[in-house]
């Protein structure tokens, strides 16, 4: 085993980044020099460019934690301990526990933390606590600054609203908005359609799609996107801040985030002039009776395929259209008019899915392991062994590299150049090993899961007639990842069975 380098950007590095200094590379160079001084073998270099409050929101740190917990490394080189964790006490505890139980050292330019030393553990815990206090103070100060700037009428968001572009305010310190030459005519058209002509959101989206007008993502506008654009008070010269604050809740030990609409928010006069009159803004946002009813949390699910069936043409989730006088049965539809997909009766789709489950059971019930699965496992095991041999060879080359440095054969510049090249190869090899191991473990787990999947399918079929709609939906989500639905031709008069296809993605291999 060897040591790895972890480098992460911080908010306090923003000033250096503005001067054109690559902070990450600067830190990595410093840590490589430290490794040379201490004769520490470097096996990988990890760069984190994502800033987040928690470990789960930082993908590279999540990978590092998994490797540390599996005792892959002797130690970690980092500029400061607060680069590892500045989250809450749970994240700090995860970091401390991972390094403590795996006996992984933490080496910084100022101090080396040895998990076997009781005093080092106490100092490490205190350093994490102080870094959290500093982070909370900085975050609170930044939040107050955003609130103050919003109250003064300046724009504090990173992405400007549709129809606008972000510009420097007259004071030279804040940001304002100015009409975007490309998007502002489209914004005027939206208000004309919804405010003057009283189009519904869907009709307005269809009209713009026929004109070839696309959103920033390159796709046609959707009713929800259109509603969010024309309801933005920035169009009438107002600044809104805190309208949808992030609310964190704990469920089953995991933190979930939501952004509900808040009644307590800042609404101030902006420094930029309004583009839309207040009267037109109000008329455009007045309900026209064409909006679908909002989903109510106090009512049970009435669609057994809720969140499961996607349109194969546009990839969006299909929704239930309840029965009425002309069609006395529920229909599953793709609600976007530009999509060619035709709706299907829910009871007909239900029968097709049950038939798919029966066929799946017949195919796999008596098969413990398919020949292709056995071949896949053998091939993936061979791939893992090949990458591990390559990794061992690279580690020997790294030892020789340090020997050449100590003997004076390599200068400092040549050592760093060749060390960086070798470390890139070591890192790539380690990534290949982890990817191959994950692929192998996933294949083995899915093969073992097949033995459990088939009995669960049989139990579901046996209990299907006695289950309620919410229970059916929950049971299907346990077994099925998604269902891709294809139907582009309408039923002919008197046609009993629809011409459609479903592609079911179970949570095990097909």
């Amino acid at each position: 085993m060897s040591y790895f380098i972890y480098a992460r950007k911080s908010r306090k590095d923003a000033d250096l980044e503005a001067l054109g200094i690559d902070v990450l590379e600067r830190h990595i160079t410093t840590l490589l020099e430290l490794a040379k001084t201490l004769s520490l073998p470097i096996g990988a270099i990890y760069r984190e460019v994502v800033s987040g409050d928690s470990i789960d929101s930082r993908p590279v740190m999540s990978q590092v934690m998994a490797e540390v917990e599996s005792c892959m490394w002797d130690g970690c080189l980092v500029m400061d301990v607060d680069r590892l964790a500045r989250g809450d006490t749970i994240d700090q505890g995860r970091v401390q526990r991972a390094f403590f139980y795996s006996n992984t050292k933490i080496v910084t330019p100022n101090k080396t933390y040895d998990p076997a030393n009781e005093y080092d553990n106490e100092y490490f815990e205190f350093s994490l606590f102080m870094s959290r206090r500093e982070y909370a103070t900085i975050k609170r100060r930044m939040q107050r600054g955003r609130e103050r700037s919003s109250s003064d009428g300046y724009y504090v968001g990173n992405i400007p609203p549709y129809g606008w572009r972000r510009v420097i305010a007259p004071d030279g310190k804040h940001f304002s908005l100015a009409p975007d030459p490309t998007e502002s005519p489209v914004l005027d058209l939206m208000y004309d359609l919804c405010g003057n002509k009283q189009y519904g959101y869907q009709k307005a989206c269809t009209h713009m799609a026929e004109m070839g007008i696309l959103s920033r993502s390159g796709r046609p506008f959707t009713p929800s996107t259109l509603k969010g654009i024309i309801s933005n008070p920035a169009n009438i010269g107002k600044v809104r801040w805190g309208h949808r604050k992030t609310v964190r809740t704990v469920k089953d030990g995991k933190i979930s985030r939501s952004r509900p609409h808040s009644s307590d928010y800042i609404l101030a006069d902006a420094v930029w002039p309004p583009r839309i009159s207040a009267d037109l803004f109000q008329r455009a946002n007045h309900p026209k009776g064409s909006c679908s009813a909002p989903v109510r949390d106090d009512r049970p699910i009435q669609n057994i395929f809720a969140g499961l069936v996607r349109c194969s043409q546009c990839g969006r989730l299909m929704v239930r259209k309840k029965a009425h006088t002309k069609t006395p049965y529920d229909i599953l539809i793709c609600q976007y008019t530009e999509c060619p997909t035709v709706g299907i009766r829910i009871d007909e789709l239900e029968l097709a899915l049950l038939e798919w489950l029966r066929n799946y059971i017949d195919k796999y019930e008596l098969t413990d392991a398919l020949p292709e699965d056995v071949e896949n496992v053998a091939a993936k095991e061979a791939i893992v062994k090949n990458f591990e041999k390559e990794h061992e060879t690279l580690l020997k080359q790294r030892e020789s590299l340090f020997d050449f440095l100590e003997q004076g054969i390599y200068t400092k510049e040549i050592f760093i150049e060749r060390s960086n090249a070798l470390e890139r190869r070591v890192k790539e090899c380690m990534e290949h090993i982890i990817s191959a191991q994950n692929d192998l473990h996933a294949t083995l787990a899915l093969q073992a899961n097949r033995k459990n999947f088939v009995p669960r399918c049989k139990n579901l079929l046996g209990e299907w007639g006695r289950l309620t709609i919410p229970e059916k939906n929950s049971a299907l989500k346990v077994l099925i990842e998604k269902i891709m639905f294809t139907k582009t031709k309408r039923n002919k008069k008197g046609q009993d069975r629809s011409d459609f296809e479903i592609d079911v993605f179970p949570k095990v291999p097909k």
Side-chain angles (χ1 to χ4, degrees):
M1 292 190 296
S2 58
Y3 289 70
F4 70 91
I5 290 176
Y6 177 75
R8 178 180 68 86
K9 288 185 179 181
S10 176
R11 285 188 174 94
K12 59 186 178 183
D13 299 329
D15 294 338
L16 294 176
E17 292 282 349
L19 298 176
I21 299 176
D22 193 334
V23 177
L24 286 187
E25 293 303 323
R26 185 179 182 183
H27 288 177
I28 290 172
T29 302
T30 302
L31 294 175
L32 283 173
E33 293 176 354
L34 178 63
K36 179 187 67 175
T37 303
L38 301 178
S39 298
L40 300 178
I42 304 300
I45 300 176
Y46 295 101
R47 297 170 173 83
E48 184 87 74
V49 296
V50 178
S51 179
D53 292 348
S54 64
I55 293 176
D56 295 333
S57 62
R58 293 154 52 192
V60 177
M61 186 60 191
S62 299
Q63 178 183 349
V64 167
M65 288 290 291
E67 295 179 0
V68 170
E69 290 171 351
S70 61
C71 302
M72 288 182 56
W73 304 102
D74 288 325
C76 165
L77 276 76
V78 65
M79 290 299 295
D80 302 290
V81 292
D82 60 3
R83 302 278 173 168
L84 293 174
R86 297 189 84 176
D88 55 18
T89 54
I90 295 178
D91 279 350
Q92 293 177 2
R94 285 180 60 187
V95 172
Q96 185 180 11
R97 182 176 57 187
F99 280 85
F100 175 78
Y101 287 111
S102 63
N103 199 29
T104 305
K105 295 181 180 180
I106 301 175
V107 182
T108 69
N110 298 324
K111 180 177 175 56
T112 299
Y113 299 86
D114 187 355
N117 188 309
E118 178 182 355
Y119 298 102
D120 282 354
N121 272 315
E122 292 181 357
Y123 192 75
F124 179 62
E125 182 178 357
F126 177 74
S127 299
L128 290 178
F129 171 76
M130 292 304 297
S131 67
R132 175 61 184 175
R133 291 288 304 273
E134 180 186 5
Y135 173 75
T137 302
I138 294 174
K139 186 177 179 181
R140 183 167 56 250
R141 188 182 302 122
M142 293 177 63
Q143 184 66 19
R144 289 176 179 173
R146 294 189 186 101
E147 292 176 356
R148 181 69 264 174
S149 297
S150 299
S151 300
D152 292 340
Y154 298 107
Y155 186 76
V156 296
N158 293 324
I159 301 176
Y162 189 86
W164 302 87
R165 57 186 178 90
R166 198 172 67 157
V167 296
I168 301 296
D171 63 352
K173 299 179 180 179
H174 299 86
F175 286 101
S176 179
L177 295 178
D180 184 89
T182 304
E183 297 179 350
S184 56
V186 180
L187 182 66
D188 295 338
L189 175 63
M190 292 178 179
Y191 279 101
D192 179 59
L193 295 175
C194 297
N196 296 328
K197 298 181 180 179
Q198 288 295 294
Y199 279 20
Y201 297 131
Q202 182 60 69
K203 186 177 180 180
C205 290
T206 303
H207 181 79
M208 289 190 293
E210 293 173 351
M211 296 176 63
I213 299 175
L214 302 177
S215 63
R216 288 178 177 176
S217 63
R219 303 180 64 179
F221 284 96
T222 61
S224 59
T225 303
L226 176 61
K227 181 180 179 182
I229 292 174
I230 66 175
S231 63
N232 194 330
N235 300 323
I236 56 173
K238 298 285 185 180
V239 175
R240 183 175 62 187
W241 180 256
H243 178 56
R244 301 190 66 178
K245 301 176 182 178
T246 301
V247 177
R248 295 174 174 85
T249 56
V250 179
K251 185 177 182 180
D252 298 331
K254 295 184 179 180
I255 298 178
S256 60
R257 293 173 174 83
S258 61
R259 299 181 64 241
H261 293 277
S262 174
S263 58
D264 181 20
Y265 58 90
I266 296 174
L267 186 64
D269 293 331
V271 296
W272 62 86
R275 183 170 184 86
I276 304 298
S277 65
D279 179 63
L280 180 58
F281 181 84
Q282 185 177 4
R283 282 187 281 114
N285 288 278
H286 183 72
K288 303 172 181 60
S290 59
C291 300
S292 59
V295 177
R296 294 180 53 173
D297 296 334
D298 58 342
R299 291 184 178 179
I301 293 177
Q302 301 182 42
N303 176 16
I304 62 174
F305 296 109
L308 283 172
V309 180
R310 289 188 174 273
C311 171
S312 63
Q313 303 298 315
C314 66
R316 299 185 179 103
L317 281 171
M318 300 184 66
V319 298
R320 165 182 167 267
K321 183 179 180 181
K322 63 182 181 180
H324 52 83
T325 306
K326 293 184 178 180
T327 55
Y329 40 78
D330 292 345
I331 299 177
L332 204 66
I333 63 170
C334 182
Q335 59 180 337
Y336 300 95
T337 56
E338 73 274 7
C339 183
T341 296
V342 180
I344 181 73
R345 289 179 54 165
I346 289 182
D347 55 356
E348 189 176 2
L349 183 59
E350 179 181 352
L351 293 176
L353 179 61
L354 296 178
E355 182 64 22
W356 182 92
L357 289 173
R358 296 188 188 97
N359 294 334
Y360 189 94
I361 293 173
D362 293 339
K363 182 177 181 180
Y364 290 116
E365 185 175 15
L366 301 177
T367 306
D368 293 332
L370 298 178
E372 58 266 26
D373 291 338
V374 177
E375 295 176 1
N376 286 339
V377 170
K380 292 177 181 179
E381 288 177 344
I383 292 174
V384 172
K385 291 181 180 179
N386 291 337
F387 281 130
E388 289 177 346
K389 290 181 180 179
E390 181 183 353
H391 187 256
E392 292 177 0
T393 303
L394 292 175
L395 293 182
K396 293 179 181 179
Q397 294 179 10
R398 183 193 57 204
E399 294 176 1
S400 302
L401 193 65
F402 276 95
D403 291 338
F404 291 154
L405 177 65
E406 293 176 358
Q407 296 171 11
I409 299 176
Y410 284 167
T411 63
K412 177 182 175 181
E413 290 75 14
I414 296 177
F415 169 78
I416 293 177
E417 178 184 352
R418 300 198 176 183
S419 178
N420 287 336
L422 182 60
E423 295 310 325
R424 283 194 295 269
R425 294 178 58 190
V426 172
K427 179 182 177 182
E428 292 175 357
C429 185
M430 181 60 65
E431 291 175 350
H432 292 157
I433 291 175
I434 295 174
S435 178
Q437 288 176 342
N438 292 338
D439 192 17
L440 174 61
H441 295 160
T443 301
L444 294 173
L446 290 173
Q447 288 182 13
N449 192 31
R450 176 180 292 142
K451 297 180 180 180
N452 300 324
F453 183 80
V454 171
R456 283 188 292 178
C457 290
K458 295 179 67 176
N459 293 336
L460 177 60
L461 289 177
E463 297 292 330
W464 187 262
R466 293 184 288 272
L467 298 178
T468 63
I469 290 180
E471 291 172 342
K472 291 179 180 179
N473 180 257
S474 299
L476 290 177
K477 286 182 177 179
V478 172
L479 300 176
I480 296 174
E481 180 181 348
K482 63 179 178 180
I483 302 172
M484 300 303 295
F485 174 79
T486 303
K487 181 184 177 184
T488 56
K489 295 181 180 179
R490 297 186 179 275
N491 292 359
K492 297 180 181 179
K493 188 174 182 180
Q495 183 179 351
D496 296 331
R497 183 175 177 81
S498 301
D499 184 14
F500 68 95
E501 295 179 2
I502 59 172
D503 191 7
V504 183
F505 292 80
K507 292 188 176 179
V508 294
K510 295 184 179 180

